[in-house]
Amino acid sequence: IVINCAAFADVPLTASVTRTWFYTENTPYVKLPHAKVELYVNDNFVEQMKWQPLKTKTETRSGVPDSVFASGYVPKEGDRIKIVASNPSYQTVYAEDIVPHEVPIINLEYTGRKVTINSQNYYYENGQMIEDKDYMEVIYKVTFQDIANQDNYYVIQVSGPGYGGDYMYVDLSYIDPIFKDQNTVIDGALGFDGVNNRNGCLFTDRDIKGKEYTLKVKELISRRLGGSIKRRIALYSISEPYYQYILSLQKVAGSTVNGGLGNIGFAEPIQVYSNVVDGIGILGTSQRDTREININVE
């Protein structure tokens, strides 16, 4: 049995419960709608979660409606969440995690300067293709207070309005030294770029224990856009199991020594982290604080 559950504070809990499948299966239906899924909070039984199809989402491989097991429980910081899943055809599995405390953004500001770069991005003007070289280099400065006397794990994300109105992640350069512990020295020495940080960057409080800290990330914004550009900055406080899970996925997707060599058979493949006992998957917990800022692009 596979449990996948991202439990966010203040959002009703849902979980995906499926089975493993072999790659030669054509279009397998992997959901287990008749599984018994029990929810415990702080070692107390809360309810048996109910299976429900999702009308707006379809499984990629099988083409049938996607589904989840839903609960009326809303996670709160400090809660210990445990999910137990059983099915007559499989071994009973369980996973548990503790919802971390929120770490608010104390202050958010930015600096910007005009730069000219060889971007390899092009646009058409008067029938001619022109390289987009004029950019604004924006440094976001995000200040927060790390929680003392415990190990803390974080994700920083920056997003902006997309074409459809929904917010989309923007490409960033993670220039702050706090991000250095993700990549080994040998990664850089051998020319590997590091973990895949396209959807946000993980970091820990290893070097800032209990301190107030201002981290910096950089974005290049084309000056052709002009005017005021809205950005949303999110600081996630996540549990250690969730951190280990996301980090393992990013190492597989990115260009680390282990990930790169493992993908071509010259090293042991990276195993995606799981905290599901007697099964696989993840029960990860998190909460976030968000701030919005307007960037004046000159």
Side-chain angles (χ1 to χ4, degrees), residues 28-231:
Y29 180 71
V30 298
K31 300 292 184 179
L32 297 176
H34 302 297
K36 181 180 180 181
V37 182
E38 298 173 302
L39 172 64
Y40 295 80
V41 179
N42 300 323
D43 298 323
N44 297 313
F45 175 75
V46 174
E47 63 180 327
Q48 184 170 323
M49 299 176 69
K50 297 180 180 180
W51 178 81
Q52 63 181 35
L54 299 177
K55 297 180 181 179
T56 59
K57 189 176 180 182
T58 301
E59 286 192 33
T60 302
R61 291 183 60 84
S62 66
V64 300
D66 200 354
S67 61
V68 295
F69 283 85
S71 166
Y73 160 72
V74 178
K76 302 185 301 295
E77 65 178 35
D79 281 353
R80 177 184 291 275
I81 301 171
K82 181 178 181 180
I83 294 176
V84 181
S86 58
N87 180 283
S89 301
Y90 302 92
Q91 186 173 2
T92 298
V93 304
Y94 70 91
E96 57 185 328
D97 199 8
I98 299 175
V99 181
H101 293 277
E102 180 183 336
V103 176
I105 296 173
I106 298 173
N107 188 55
L108 172 62
E109 57 186 33
Y110 78 93
T111 60
R113 68 184 184 96
K114 299 176 182 178
V115 295
T116 301
I117 63 173
N118 294 320
S119 68
Q120 301 301 308
N121 295 320
Y122 296 88
Y123 63 94
Y124 282 93
E125 187 174 278
N126 298 324
Q128 292 184 332
M129 189 169 67
I130 302 172
E131 184 177 4
D132 191 3
K133 292 186 175 184
D134 296 324
Y135 281 76
M136 184 172 177
E137 180 187 87
V138 178
I139 306 294
Y140 300 98
K141 301 177 181 179
V142 185
T143 303
F144 63 95
Q145 173 68 53
D146 181 62
I147 300 174
N149 302 318
Q150 66 181 47
D151 294 331
N152 300 300
Y153 304 86
Y154 301 98
V155 176
I156 185 73
Q157 290 179 337
V158 179
S159 56
Y163 294 110
D166 295 330
Y167 273 75
M168 302 175 60
Y169 302 128
V170 301
D171 289 331
L172 297 174
S173 297
Y174 298 94
I175 58 176
D176 200 283
I178 202 171
F179 300 119
K180 70 180 184 301
D181 60 349
Q182 291 191 40
N183 301 320
T184 65
V185 173
I186 196 171
D187 283 329
L190 295 181
F192 287 82
D193 298 330
V195 299
N196 183 344
N197 296 319
R198 187 175 301 274
N199 294 332
C201 194
L202 296 162
F203 64 98
T204 74
D205 67 344
R206 186 179 66 179
D207 297 326
I208 59 167
K209 292 287 187 181
K211 298 178 182 178
E212 182 178 301
Y213 188 77
T214 299
L215 68 82
K216 301 178 181 66
V217 293
K218 181 175 72 174
E219 181 188 7
L220 292 174
I221 302 176
S222 174
R223 286 162 51 200
R224 288 193 308 114
L225 298 176
S228 180
I229 305 292
K230 182 178 289 186
R231 289 292 182 258

